[in-house]
Amino acid sequence: MKYKYYLSVLITILLLQSALPMFSAKRNMEYLDRGLVAVKVNNGVFLSWRFLGTDNIDIGFNLYRDDLLLNQTPITNSTNFTDVGGLLTSKYKVLPVINGVEDTVGVKTVSTWAQQFKTVPLNRPPSGITPPNKTGNVGRAANRSYPNGQPYSYSPNDCSVGDVDGDGEYEIIVKWDPTNSQDNAYYGITGNVYLDAYKLDGTHLWRIDLGENIRAGAHYTQFLVYDFDGDGLAEVICKTAPGTIDGNGNYVILPGDDPLAKYRSNDTTQISGSGMLGTVLKGPEYLTLFDGKTGAELHTVPYNPPRGNLSSWGDGYGNRSDRFLACVAYLDGVNASAVMCRGYYAKTTLTAYDVRDKKLVERWHHNSSTSNSGAFGQGNHNLSVADVDEDGRDEIIYGACVIDHDGSLLYRTGLGHGDAMHVSDMDLDNPGLEVWVVHEEKSAAYGYELHDARTGKILWGGKTGTDVGRGMAGDIDARYPGFEMWSTGASGVYSSKGVQISTNRPSVNFRVYWDGDLQDELLDRTRITKWTGNGTTTLLSPSGVASCNGTKATPNLSADILGDWREEVIFWTTNDSSSLRIYTTTIPTQHKLYTLMHDPVYRLGIAWQNTAYNQPPHLGFYIGDGLENLVMPDINLIRYNENGTGVSPVFEKSIAQVFSHNGNIRVIAEEDISSISVYSVLGKLIHQNSQIHQNEYTYPLNSNEKILIVNIRTATRNATVKLMNH
């Protein structure tokens, strides 16, 4: 079997005579530890851990309880195990085993959870009270008046994850929303929005106060958490304004602007028009890059584009001008860029930024401002990112259109704005990826449809003449190849070919991998259910927790952040709104799949999952028919160097020089070598030594393989080298 991990994508000329290593143009993705989690269950302790995207497919694992080896032979066919002798006091560690040798580098010991969830305590912001206020929620008519101000409090809203301190574990970035947050279409003063960073044990790392000039609501604050500059540490990017205070307590401000200026409309008589009470339609707008470890401002630029003429966005009162989206995309195929988006009902803009030397550098700006052309009016309340044309670089699937990696329009379907969208390999007979979208435009030729992600060709759909507000896609029924789809625009569930397979319709909010098979389960509010073919059964229904975002009923986050490839779901506690619960599955599975976070489409789905009308993430490949032909991702893992520099083997100086001559391999490294592994191009392990502990190593290679893959590990770095065996 050929695995992409061992193949170069861009390099076509191999080293014929040179002894220096050459690197392929792989995506730089985050280093993760094994993510071992231990949960007390009725028959002992359930354990699960990560299989990494850069692991050898045949890797095995040894499990230890209190330093006692639990398995007689390395576990190679799964990444979970039930220890029938495990106790609540037991402590565990997992060690990778390659060619019979345990890898002890970076091994961590974990304690056992007492229940199926881990509680993460939070530092809830203090409650507040607004100036005298009115609110309106239906047709912008006043339904409450607060002559003495409106009291409000806070609950955790959308979350994201990233490794902000470089220890191989995710931290959680929490957006705190006030109880008086508002939709753009309605007036009303809101409390400030806060972004917090927490370690999984509840350690509060920092707080960013976005200030009065950033309104609270689903459409205003789309925040990106990702390692943008390849140093092994995640940064945070979001829209800011005068009045924003960073994690070090300093104002975010550009020269000439006033950090104490107030641009929010406080005129209680204005309940319509461009001066609507509570809206912020004047004053500077910023985009800020924050340090993920401290929350400190690193760089701020004017937001591009500015509001300009409000009516160009689709109305004159600031509703559609303040519809923001954001995503992360590998626009050059190697490094992550931030893409900040404004508008989708009419004028539509996207601006891409790279992070270089801790500064935001604009890569390109897309502006569709002419009706019936480009991306004008084609955007959704959400987006997705994938390499739809298979050129190694990402596109932004922006509702009914796609923006190419260079900022140009790839295509538009012309079907207009919609509320929900899903991207994955749904139709196994159609090459590449597909897009399932529901549309709001009543005049659209399709109220729901499946189209080819590369070309926009409609594969099937239905005209509804209505605003279709919900649509879901997932592989929920193993009897039918590919995904199943359903929406509020039609009754029942449909196969990937558009054939109705059931007249019953399950929930239409989220999907999740939870039980032991390779099909999707359904997540709605706080319940996880399993499709039975014509109905559902409940797998998880926790008490004392709540979902987010009203009728959207989304989790704070759903992502593969711990354990094996099944996903965790995060909800907030209802008793005092001051903690999160991370729920993980304890259902055994024999399927061995690398962590979903090392699939680029899925990982970028986690980055954009907090955007506007949250949508669930999907894999960029199909697993429903089995993992026998699993192809490993073509990625590099970037591990943080405690000396202050990241480790990126792509087009940078190697951590070592590798020589192949007369049947010997010689390695000269910058620091002591922890281990060396040598593979054939097809992934066969030829040699491994994890007991080197010096910076030079020579090995007589008795192999006829012409192309060699050499993996070198030091205490702080990891690189993979391809070279010719002379």
Side-chain angles (χ1 to χ4, degrees):
M1 186 184 295
K2 294 184 179 181
Y3 300 108
K4 287 186 178 179
Y5 171 58
Y6 304 109
L7 299 178
S8 168
V9 175
L10 298 181
I11 297 177
T12 57
I13 301 176
L14 297 174
L15 295 171
L16 298 179
Q17 296 179 348
S18 172
L20 297 177
M22 216 171 184
F23 296 110
S24 61
K26 302 178 182 181
R27 292 184 183 228
N28 290 334
M29 298 188 72
E30 61 205 340
Y31 163 80
L32 297 171
D33 65 17
R34 291 296 165 184
L36 177 64
V37 61
V39 183
K40 187 69 182 75
V41 292
N42 290 335
N43 59 334
V45 173
F46 178 81
L47 302 127
S48 70
W49 59 93
R50 288 190 185 106
F51 170 36
L52 302 177
T54 51
D55 282 334
N56 187 293
I57 191 73
D58 297 320
I59 192 172
F61 298 93
N62 283 341
L63 278 171
Y64 289 84
R65 181 221 309 143
D66 302 324
D67 292 325
L68 172 68
L69 180 63
L70 297 178
N71 47 291
Q72 293 182 347
T73 59
I75 301 168
T76 59
N77 61 352
S78 71
T79 50
N80 64 91
F81 182 88
T82 300
D83 175 21
V84 295
L87 304 173
L88 186 57
T89 56
S90 299
K91 296 184 183 299
Y92 295 89
K93 60 185 177 181
V94 60
L95 276 68
V97 181
I98 303 175
N99 199 26
V101 179
E102 288 185 338
D103 183 355
T104 60
V105 177
V107 173
K108 300 176 182 178
T109 300
V110 303
S111 299
T112 302
W113 296 7
Q115 56 275 314
Q116 197 174 358
F117 61 85
K118 179 181 180 63
T119 299
V120 181
L122 305 176
N123 179 16
R124 187 186 188 193
S127 301
I129 188 167
T130 68
N133 195 10
K134 294 179 180 179
T135 60
N137 288 303
V138 180
R140 296 187 298 281
N143 59 8
R144 292 292 299 273
S145 181
Y146 301 93
N148 298 317
Q150 179 190 20
Y152 61 90
S153 59
Y154 285 90
S155 61
N157 193 250
D158 295 326
C159 297
S160 192
V161 291
D163 183 5
V164 304
D165 58 9
D167 63 356
E169 298 178 359
Y170 282 122
E171 281 71 50
I172 302 178
I173 311 302
V174 180
K175 183 180 79 167
W176 289 97
D177 255 12
T179 51
N180 58 359
S181 63
Q182 276 288 8
D183 188 273
N184 305 48
Y186 307 125
Y187 66 88
I189 295 173
T190 74
N192 290 10
V193 176
Y194 300 95
L195 295 178
D196 280 2
Y198 296 91
K199 293 189 71 64
L200 296 184
D201 64 4
T203 300
H204 188 188
L205 300 178
W206 48 258
R207 170 167 292 166
I208 296 169
D209 178 357
L210 292 180
E212 177 181 313
N213 296 314
I214 297 292
R215 203 173 186 223
H219 300 287
Y220 300 103
T221 298
Q222 324 303 336
F223 61 101
L224 300 177
V225 182
Y226 214 82
D227 179 9
F228 290 100
D229 60 358
D231 66 352
L233 301 175
E235 293 82 33
V236 178
I237 296 176
C238 70
K239 186 173 182 285
T240 59
T244 296
I245 300 174
D246 75 2
N248 283 348
N250 300 318
Y251 281 110
V252 172
I253 198 71
L254 287 179
D257 293 338
D258 180 1
L260 302 180
K262 300 181 183 298
Y263 297 104
R264 180 178 66 196
S265 172
N266 288 316
D267 187 345
T268 59
T269 67
Q270 292 294 316
I271 58 175
S272 63
S274 61
M276 204 160 58
L277 175 67
T279 57
V280 183
L281 300 178
K282 298 179 180 179
E285 300 175 283
Y286 302 153
L287 182 69
T288 299
L289 171 71
F290 294 98
D291 183 278
K293 193 171 185 178
T294 66
E297 175 198 7
L298 295 174
H299 191 223
T300 296
V301 296
Y303 197 89
N304 185 26
R307 300 179 188 92
N309 180 7
L310 295 182
S311 61
S312 67
W313 304 98
D315 61 48
Y317 63 96
N319 171 17
R320 296 182 173 186
S321 65
D322 277 15
R323 300 284 176 157
F324 299 99
L325 302 174
C327 63
V328 178
Y330 287 76
L331 301 174
D332 64 0
V334 176
N335 304 296
S337 300
V339 183
M340 310 304 295
C341 316
R342 185 175 207 157
Y344 37 77
Y345 287 102
K347 180 180 177 179
T348 299
T349 65
L350 298 87
T351 308
Y353 295 88
D354 299 332
V355 175
R356 301 175 190 163
D357 299 322
K358 302 299 181 182
K359 295 185 182 299
L360 293 164
V361 179
E362 186 172 313
R363 173 179 280 265
W364 49 253
H365 175 68
H366 177 98
N367 180 12
S368 287
S369 56
T370 303
S371 180
N372 297 318
S373 67
F376 189 98
Q378 299 303 295
N380 264 29
H381 286 297
N382 31 67
L383 43 61
S384 190
V385 178
D387 177 13
V388 303
D389 56 8
E390 299 180 344
D391 66 353
R393 296 164 293 188
D394 284 332
E395 284 70 47
I396 295 92
I397 301 94
Y398 206 73
C401 66
V402 167
I403 305 300
D404 208 346
H405 67 273
D406 60 1
S408 63
L409 181 78
L410 189 63
Y411 67 80
R412 57 178 273 146
T413 68
L415 295 172
H417 169 69
D419 282 4
M421 179 180 67
H422 303 265
V423 178
S424 188
D425 186 5
M426 306 185 198
D427 183 346
L428 305 186
D429 295 325
N430 185 67
L433 305 177
E434 292 78 44
V435 186
W436 170 251
V437 196
V438 298
H439 297 281
E440 186 174 300
E441 305 295 336
K442 297 180 180 180
S443 60
Y446 297 93
Y448 56 88
E449 45 88 10
L450 183 72
H451 67 258
D452 182 280
R454 180 173 188 152
T455 66
K457 176 185 177 181
I458 305 297
L459 301 177
W460 64 270
K463 180 175 177 61
T464 63
T466 61
D467 175 352
V468 182
R470 294 283 199 283
M472 258 298 297
D475 180 21
I476 62 171
D477 200 320
R479 298 174 299 174
Y480 303 92
F483 276 37
E484 288 70 51
M485 298 103 181
W486 59 102
S487 74
T488 55
S491 62
V493 177
Y494 292 79
S495 73
S496 62
K497 302 299 185 183
V499 177
Q500 188 178 48
I501 63 173
S502 174
T503 57
N504 289 334
R505 185 181 68 207
S507 60
V508 289
N509 281 335
F510 254 59
R511 52 137 307 276
V512 65
Y513 290 122
W514 192 257
D515 67 6
D517 64 27
L518 295 173
Q519 275 64 52
D520 294 279
E521 282 68 62
L522 299 168
L523 172 59
D524 184 44
R525 301 188 183 277
T526 60
R527 294 177 65 244
I528 295 176
T529 58
K530 180 74 173 176
W531 175 251
T532 62
N534 202 35
T536 59
T537 58
T538 299
L539 301 180
L540 179 74
S541 183
S543 60
V545 292
S547 57
C548 302
N549 301 312
T551 60
K552 304 297 185 294
T554 59
N556 296 90
L557 183 67
S558 173
D560 178 17
I561 62 173
L562 290 168
D564 64 21
W565 57 273
R566 275 85 60 80
E567 294 163 286
E568 282 65 50
V569 292
I570 304 178
F571 304 114
W572 58 278
T573 55
T574 55
N575 58 339
D576 58 4
S577 305
S578 64
S579 62
L580 298 174
R581 286 187 190 172
I582 304 174
Y583 286 84
T584 190
T585 186
T586 57
I587 302 173
T589 179
Q590 290 302 309
H591 296 292
K592 180 181 175 182
L593 175 61
Y594 60 83
T595 175
L596 308 189
M597 296 298 251
H598 281 166
D599 172 58
V601 172
Y602 182 91
R603 181 62 184 94
L604 299 181
I606 300 305
W608 55 246
Q609 201 183 129
N610 67 75
T611 293
Y613 290 178
N614 309 52
Q615 295 289 281
H618 293 278
L619 286 169
F621 59 98
Y622 184 71
I623 65 172
D625 55 2
L627 301 176
E628 291 78 11
N629 298 316
L630 178 66
V631 175
M632 301 298 285
D634 196 28
I635 60 175
N636 284 312
L637 299 188
I638 306 302
R639 186 168 188 176
Y640 174 63
N641 185 336
E642 292 182 358
N643 294 325
T645 58
V647 183
S648 176
V650 182
F651 305 129
E652 295 185 3
K653 182 180 179 182
S654 173
I655 68 173
Q657 290 185 329
V658 182
F659 303 84
S660 174
H661 183 64
N662 292 333
N664 291 330
I665 289 180
R666 189 181 181 200
V667 180
I668 302 176
E670 297 176 352
E671 54 189 34
D672 283 354
I673 302 166
S674 300
S675 68
I676 288 178
S677 302
V678 182
Y679 302 90
S680 72
V681 73
L682 298 182
K684 178 183 178 182
L685 182 65
I686 298 172
H687 170 71
Q688 184 177 58
N689 190 337
S690 58
Q691 303 294 326
I692 300 173
H693 307 306
Q694 57 189 21
N695 70 337
E696 294 188 20
Y697 180 71
T698 300
Y699 171 69
L701 182 63
N702 299 317
S703 174
N704 295 323
E705 296 286 344
K706 297 300 182 183
I707 302 173
L708 302 173
I709 307 297
V710 183
N711 180 264
I712 307 158
R713 288 191 180 186
T714 68
T716 63
R717 308 175 75 177
N718 183 18
T720 300
V721 176
K722 176 188 286 186
L723 74 160
M724 187 70 77
N725 179 20
H726 298 291

